[in-house]
Amino acid sequence: MPDEPPTQSVENTVHGDVHGMVLQVGAVTGDFHHHQHPGPARATLPLRCGLVPPRAAAFQERPVDLDAPVTVLSGLPGVGKSQLAAGHAERLWAAGEVDLLVWVTATSRESIVSSYADVAAKLLGVDDPDPERGARTFLEWLAGTHEPWLVVLDDLRAPADLDGLWPPAGGQVVVTTLRRDAVLRGHQRRLVAVEAFTEDEGIAYLRTALADQPALLDDDGLVRELGGLPVALAQAAANMLDNHLSCAEYRALLPERLDPSAATWSLAVEQAGRLARTGVVLPLLDVASVLDANGIPLAVFTTRAMLDFLGVDEADARDGLGCLHRLSLFTFSEGAVSREVRVHSLVQRATRAAWSDERAGVVVRAAADALAQVWPGVVTDPLLGQVLRANAQALADAGGAHLWRPEGHVLLFLAGRSLGEAGYHADAVRHFDDLQAAATRYLGPDHLDTLLCRFNAAGWRGSGGDAAGAVEGLRDLLTDVTRLFGPDHVETLRVRNNHAHWLGASGDRVGAVTAFRDLFFDQMRVLGPDHPMTLTTRHNLAFAQAKSGNPGRAVKSFETLVRDLERIAGPDDPGALEARSGLAAVLAEAGDLDDAADELEDLLEDQLRVLGADHPRTMSTRWSLAQWRGLTGDPAGAVEEFEELLEHQIRVLGEHHPDLRATREKLEHWRGVSEPGESGRPSPG
């Protein structure tokens, strides 16, 4: 069969309420091929990738040598490790001593891999669908280049996350972490302990921060009072400037019963609350304290869910955010797409320490609702996906049981789906396996959410290449679903649908036809011939017939299905349009390329009218039509259509979207075929 359009035919996504087994294989219309190819154009050096945190207003140089091949900055939160790394990076960049500067938020292995793969896409034009492979491509480039480079791995949580991902020799690496594990020493790695400011350094910091009001620096005991902690001194200075307090006056306000850093934040929050027009400061800080300290999308704080939680409008919410920024409780990163708001982890811990369990539950659920509302149905920006997943993980770590009351929050499932859709299939499987364990603990083994976790784990196991594992997982799940709901329940029928699909994907195509046929007869009896699930199974059965070596039978099945769908729902129904796409695919399978192309032309005209030019299905049909154009003897026409489609995809999806890979590959293929001297009817590239 000729190549199918580059659209994943297996639907394994969340639609609406996830508290039921609603994820199922939809209408199957083609194969999903992964290709590595030239991809987007290479960026030119010098190049910066990742967002370097802004330098503190009163940044102090400190006697820390960062010129070793690998320097690991280790120390407690708040001592300024990231600031030292950022200062070093900006200094080398400004001096032209590095041509590639990469800043990685290294809070998880997935975050590191994703960042490396993103650099490979930008630097080398290698937009690989497998992030792990893209990351290796980047590391291989580092090992072979003579260009000077610096990679900063900020906030490393677990040294094991860097197994196989340490940058090679030849450039500079800086790591910031709380850890002091043995693996962080040796192998040209130098571990540097970063301490709080000395008294002289702290006084120098305050002198710089209070330069516009030098009279406020009347008592050098404040540095000792705050333990020389840079983040505490920064918040103290902001508060002093905003309230015209001297060091002595500020010290007098510090509660004796609190530790120095907590006392500083207590005063900052109190002052921010006085500045705000409404009482939103504490609730905003509460929400930020359960999300990712390395960056929270600003949009989270202005969602409908968040405004309802705060009891204010968007203007008042933004006013509260500004007041928190003025007192150095929040930091806004200019130009940081999706990571606009940062809050120090110590501020987060101090905030959470004051909560009752009841308050924790209210905050966690409000944050989860808001984060779910900013999560797009389709994530086309890899960085946005990474940031959203990091925030979901931070919330899961902080929220614990509160995200399972009264049932699993939709955010837990969105995060797992996002992993799978981004190409991290093994991570998605682990995510849903872990969710299953949590759901079993909180809800019991037979709860719908527990079953849904098993359903998702099996699906992503299959998407990752282990179709046999997917079959086994769904077979076991089918046994339990049948026991709980009965053989005719809609959830049982859905699991059977997916089980049949993965049977075919595992190589048992005859078994898939049999499973789909049995399912169809049961759905006819239970749901009726016109039920959407019955019609979907007819679609999948026809396609399974084509793949099992009976394309003629599949063509007749699709022709009948199209007529029935147009009768039941009308010719413009999405299901009817999808069945026509399936008909074109099996026509091509049967060797009727001319009829397939004619069917696609008619389908495209209707999709443009009904769905619009930007709809994924419309662009998929354009891809297929361009391919069939070449296969039916018109390579020049294929080139023209692939060129137009590529331009359209870049505008709608962005330059690095996975769907562009196959378009670029086919464009280059048909360009080669259409060169002078080439003729005849080519085979697919």
Side-chain angles (χ1 to χ4, degrees), residues 627-649:
Q627 176 70 350
W628 304 149
R629 188 81 70 206
L631 292 172
T632 53
D634 184 12
V639 169
E640 182 179 355
E641 294 198 22
F642 273 122
E643 286 176 339
E644 292 178 358
L645 175 59
L646 180 61
E647 183 178 346
H648 188 80
Q649 286 178 316

Side-chain angles (χ1 to χ4, degrees), residues 409-647:
H409 197 281
V410 63
L411 185 70
L412 299 169
F413 297 91
L414 286 174
R417 181 190 77 178
S418 178
L419 279 168
E421 291 178 343
Y424 300 99
H425 298 132
D427 289 332
V429 172
R430 283 191 291 271
H431 176 91
F432 282 110
D433 283 344
D434 291 344
L435 277 194
Q436 179 196 338
T440 301
R441 182 165 66 254
Y442 294 120
L443 306 175
D446 293 342
H447 191 278
L448 271 176
D449 282 355
T450 309
L451 301 174
L452 181 57
C453 292
R454 293 170 61 185
F455 190 88
N456 275 276
W460 289 119
R461 191 168 274 114
S463 296
D466 184 9
V471 170
E472 182 181 356
L474 288 167
R475 184 177 60 242
D476 293 343
L477 177 61
L478 182 57
T479 299
D480 289 335
V481 172
T482 304
R483 170 178 57 82
L484 291 166
F485 305 125
D488 293 342
H489 194 279
V490 66
E491 306 296 359
T492 307
L493 298 175
R494 283 187 172 119
V495 175
R496 287 177 63 185
N497 178 76
N498 279 36
H499 180 255
H501 165 75
W502 288 114
L503 271 176
S506 69
D508 186 3
R509 295 180 173 181
V510 174
V513 170
T514 301
F516 275 126
R517 185 184 294 118
D518 292 345
L519 175 62
F520 167 66
F521 288 136
D522 286 339
Q523 287 174 329
M524 286 280 288
R525 175 177 52 82
V526 175
L527 304 175
D530 295 346
H531 191 280
M533 287 181 64
T534 307
L535 295 168
T536 295
T537 298
R538 286 179 60 186
H539 186 132
N540 291 342
L541 173 58
F543 193 77
Q545 289 169 337
K547 301 299 283 186
S548 66
N550 196 349
R553 177 68 178 273
V555 169
K556 293 179 181 178
S557 297
F558 266 115
E559 288 174 340
T560 304
L561 176 62
V562 169
R563 287 196 297 269
D564 287 346
L565 283 166
E566 290 180 344
R567 170 183 56 83
I568 295 166
D572 293 345
D573 178 72
L577 297 175
E578 190 64 25
R580 289 170 61 187
S581 177
L583 174 59
V586 297
L587 281 168
E589 183 85 19
D592 298 331
L593 296 182
D594 293 330
D595 288 343
D598 290 342
E599 181 65 40
L600 286 170
E601 286 180 340
D602 293 341
L603 174 61
L604 178 60
E605 182 178 344
D606 289 337
Q607 286 178 324
L608 287 169
R609 175 177 52 83
V610 176
L611 304 176
D614 296 348
H615 194 279
R617 290 300 183 190
T618 306
M619 288 191 283
S620 174
T621 299
R622 289 184 63 184
W623 193 100
S624 295
L625 186 58
Q627 176 70 350
W628 304 149
R629 188 81 70 206
L631 292 172
T632 53
D634 184 12
V639 169
E640 182 179 355
E641 294 198 22
F642 273 122
E643 286 176 339
E644 292 178 358
L645 175 59
L646 180 61
E647 183 178 346

Side-chain angles (χ1 to χ4, degrees), residues 115-293:
S115 296
Y116 283 3
D118 182 60
V119 178
K122 293 175 180 175
L123 181 65
L124 305 173
V126 180
D127 191 6
D128 201 298
D130 182 346
E132 291 274 356
R133 195 164 55 210
R136 289 195 299 272
T137 298
F138 168 59
L139 294 175
E140 289 167 1
W141 182 90
L142 290 180
T145 187
H146 296 294
E147 305 291 346
W149 51 264
L150 168 66
V151 174
V152 179
L153 296 152
D154 186 39
D155 197 15
L156 178 68
R157 305 284 176 84
D161 288 342
L162 277 175
D163 288 350
L165 294 176
W166 280 94
Q172 278 197 49
V173 180
V174 175
V175 180
T176 73
T177 181
L178 302 176
R179 306 285 291 264
R180 299 177 62 86
D181 304 55
V183 71
L184 299 175
R185 313 165 188 260
H187 305 288
Q188 293 190 319
R189 301 168 194 166
R190 181 175 62 193
L191 186 70
V192 177
V194 181
E195 308 290 348
F197 282 150
T198 65
E199 188 166 355
D200 287 343
E201 289 171 340
I203 292 170
Y205 173 84
L206 287 176
R207 186 176 295 114
T208 303
L210 304 175
D212 291 341
Q213 299 185 47
L216 300 182
L217 189 62
D218 64 346
D219 183 359
D220 59 13
L222 182 60
V223 175
R224 292 191 299 275
E225 190 81 25
L226 297 180
L229 201 62
V231 66
L233 287 168
Q235 287 167 345
N239 203 325
M240 291 160 61
L241 288 169
D242 220 70
N243 289 281
H244 305 287
L245 295 172
S246 70
C247 291
E249 290 169 330
Y250 185 84
R251 283 183 66 195
L253 295 174
L254 292 174
E256 292 183 4
R257 67 182 182 278
L258 296 179
D259 69 80
S261 57
T264 303
W265 295 317
S266 175
L267 288 177
V269 171
E270 181 182 331
Q271 174 59 13
R274 287 198 295 267
L275 290 173
R277 295 195 298 259
T278 57
V280 298
V281 164
L282 273 175
L284 283 170
L285 191 57
D286 284 346
V287 170
S289 295
V290 293
L291 296 172
D292 185 20

